[in-house]
Every structure is written in structure tokens, then in C-alpha cells.
Amino acid sequence: MESKEIQKLLDFIAHSPLDEVSIETSEIKLAVKRYGASPIQQTVFAGPVAPAPQPVAAPTPAAPAPAPAAKVDNLIPIKSPMIGTFYRAAKVGDSSFVEIGSEISKGKTLCIIEAMKLFNEIESEIDGRIVQILVENATPVEFDQVLFMVEPN
């Protein structure tokens, strides 16, 4: 099962009323349990109050997106394959997997994304040099969000 398929399945489960799901195939065994009330139940009666802050907060994340360098034409984005928490190092206090200017090759670990207590190493699929790191350490990332900009070799 591909990580994109798993992410779609987790998104579906997150928006469903189910509190527990178990799936087992010859390739994978997946068990998801929801603890506490679902977000949908928590926001049902907060409707008139909650929407007012949301439009104000929505433009803020959109502003950093156009930050790539001026010579974007030759840069390749490396995107998050899942929703989770972005980490630049394996443990607190360890050096980062990559820095701006780091040379990378196919298979080199670039970061870790934690999703549902699973730590997924994100590896490079290209050879090149890191030009930008667009996400702060220990912050949430969305599926398909650009994490790094790479100048290919």
C-alpha cells in the first residue's frame, strides 16, 4: 500500500463518525483508534463564533507559500507525502539531516514526518543541492506541502 493511499484512508477515517477501524491485508496491518470527542462534535454549536477567526487566520499560511527563490524555473520542490509533524533531525539535539547548501542524492534522508505516532523518513528522489527549507522544525505539515526546494545536478 502506497503512502498516498494510506493518507487518503486516514483522511477518510478522520472525517467519518467511526471511533475505531482495523484493516489487515497481506501487505499491511492498520489499526486506528480515535480518543476523545471528534472535532466535528466539538464545533457543532460553536458555528457562529468559530468562522469569524478562521478567515483571518487562513491568509497567514498562504503568505509564506510564494517564498521560493527568484530563479524558481530550475528548482524542484520536494513535497510532503502525508499530513504530520515535520522534524529536521532524528532526535532533539542531533544535527539536522540537511541544511541549506547540502548536497543530496537519491535515497538520502531529508527529514522525518511523524503521522499517528509513526516516524516516516522522507528520502530524496533526486540528486542536487538544498536551496531552501520552507518548514520550521517540529511544525505541522499538510499533504503535498512543499518542504524543500532543490537545485538538481
Side-chain angles (χ1 to χ4, degrees), residues 106-121:
K106 292 178 185 171
K108 176 169 176 52
T109 300
L110 303 174
C111 64
I112 291 177
I113 296 182
E114 176 195 3
M116 300 189 66
K117 304 295 182 196
L118 295 174
F119 293 86
N120 304 282
E121 289 187 356

Side-chain angles (χ1 to χ4, degrees), residues 6 9-10 13 19-25 28-35 115-118:
I6 294 171
L9 179 61
L10 292 174
I13 294 168
D19 288 331
E20 187 173 334
V21 175
S22 295
I23 298 171
E24 187 172 347
T25 68
I28 191 170
K29 182 176 180 180
L30 179 67
V32 179
K33 294 181 183 177
R34 186 183 319 217
Y35 295 99
M116 300 189 66
K117 304 295 182 196
L118 295 174

Side-chain angles (χ1 to χ4, degrees), residues 9 18 29 33 36 42 50 56 82 86 90 93 100 111 118 143:
L9 179 61
L18 303 174
K29 182 176 180 180
K33 294 181 183 177
Q42 292 174 348
V56 175
M82 64 190 69
F86 173 87
I100 293 176
C111 64
L118 295 174
F143 171 73

Side-chain angles (χ1 to χ4, degrees), residues 70-119:
K71 52 181 186 174
V72 172
D73 295 339
N74 66 334
L75 299 181
I76 297 174
I78 295 180
K79 299 179 179 181
S80 175
M82 64 190 69
I83 294 173
T85 303
F86 173 87
Y87 295 103
R88 293 188 57 195
K91 293 187 282 186
V92 175
D94 283 1
S95 60
S96 298
F97 292 110
V98 294
E99 299 289 344
I100 293 176
S102 296
E103 293 292 326
I104 60 170
S105 57
K106 292 178 185 171
K108 176 169 176 52
T109 300
L110 303 174
C111 64
I112 291 177
I113 296 182
E114 176 195 3
M116 300 189 66
K117 304 295 182 196
L118 295 174
F119 293 86

Side-chain angles (χ1 to χ4, degrees), residues 129-147:
R129 183 177 61 87
I130 300 290
V131 176
Q132 287 184 313
I133 301 173
L134 301 170
V135 181
E136 292 295 321
N137 189 48
T139 58
V141 293
E142 295 292 326
F143 171 73
D144 219 25
Q145 178 178 344
V146 178
L147 307 173

